[in-house]
Amino acid sequence: MPSFEITPIGTVRNDRTDIQHSDNWGAVRSTIVVDERFGEACLQGLEEFSHVEVVFVFDRFPDGGDHSEPRPYRGRADLPPMGVFAGRGPRRPNRIGVTCCRIESVHGRELTVVGLDAVSGTPIIDLKPVLKEFVPANIRQPDWVSGMMSDYFRP
């Protein structure tokens, strides 16, 4: 397959720097600073939305190596092995993360969100407003996922 290059559009600023601390993102307030090449009005209109999808790169994680074998979810032996595309963690082929965050404020090229699970300095690839029409109504997931994720977005 051909490869492609992506240039970040901005960077995350927050108080989280430890990539190993992977829970309690619910109250994390992050400011995404969009690069000046997009101009001061690049976020105009986004303040009308309650949520934004933030697409970012897990740039501080090493390449996960061989992705052909299922591994226990989040590295926990008490959870079932899952294929690389059945998880949302950073150890993935292109290390791309996506999180739906609540918009707190928009000022020029600065977007402040709550609940972004990315550490300070993380490169942002794209931002997309959340539209009701794009959110599925009937989500299904294994029963064990809710228990495993119970602390992830806890404040």
Side-chain angles (χ1 to χ4, degrees), residues 13-144:
R13 286 193 327 222
N14 62 29
D15 293 333
R16 295 287 291 263
T17 57
D18 182 2
I19 62 171
Q20 298 305 320
H21 181 198
S22 59
D23 283 329
N24 304 102
W25 293 99
V28 173
R29 179 173 282 102
S30 299
T31 298
I32 297 167
V33 181
V34 178
D35 191 88
E36 63 187 19
R37 74 184 187 270
F38 296 103
E40 290 299 315
C42 64
L43 299 174
Q44 183 176 329
L46 193 56
E47 72 279 357
E48 298 293 323
F49 293 87
S50 64
H51 290 77
V52 63
E53 287 181 300
V54 181
V55 184
F56 58 95
V57 178
F58 292 109
D59 66 316
R60 297 203 177 76
F61 281 86
D63 181 7
D66 181 16
H67 298 288
S68 63
E69 293 296 322
R71 294 183 182 180
Y73 210 83
R74 293 189 93 186
R76 290 178 39 182
D78 62 321
L79 298 177
M82 305 294 277
V84 66
F85 299 115
R88 297 183 57 95
R91 290 176 178 83
R92 41 193 331 100
N94 289 309
R95 298 181 293 162
I96 294 173
V98 179
T99 303
C100 180
C101 305
R102 182 176 57 82
I103 295 173
E104 186 171 273
S105 66
V106 178
H107 298 288
R109 294 181 295 108
E110 294 189 358
L111 169 64
T112 301
V113 298
V114 177
L116 177 59
D117 53 344
V119 297
S120 195
T122 296
I124 299 300
I125 296 174
D126 207 350
L127 301 166
K128 294 177 180 269
V130 174
L131 309 178
K132 286 192 283 188
E133 292 78 6
F134 279 81
V135 179
N138 298 309
I139 306 244
R140 179 177 49 105
Q141 66 185 27
D143 292 337
W144 58 264

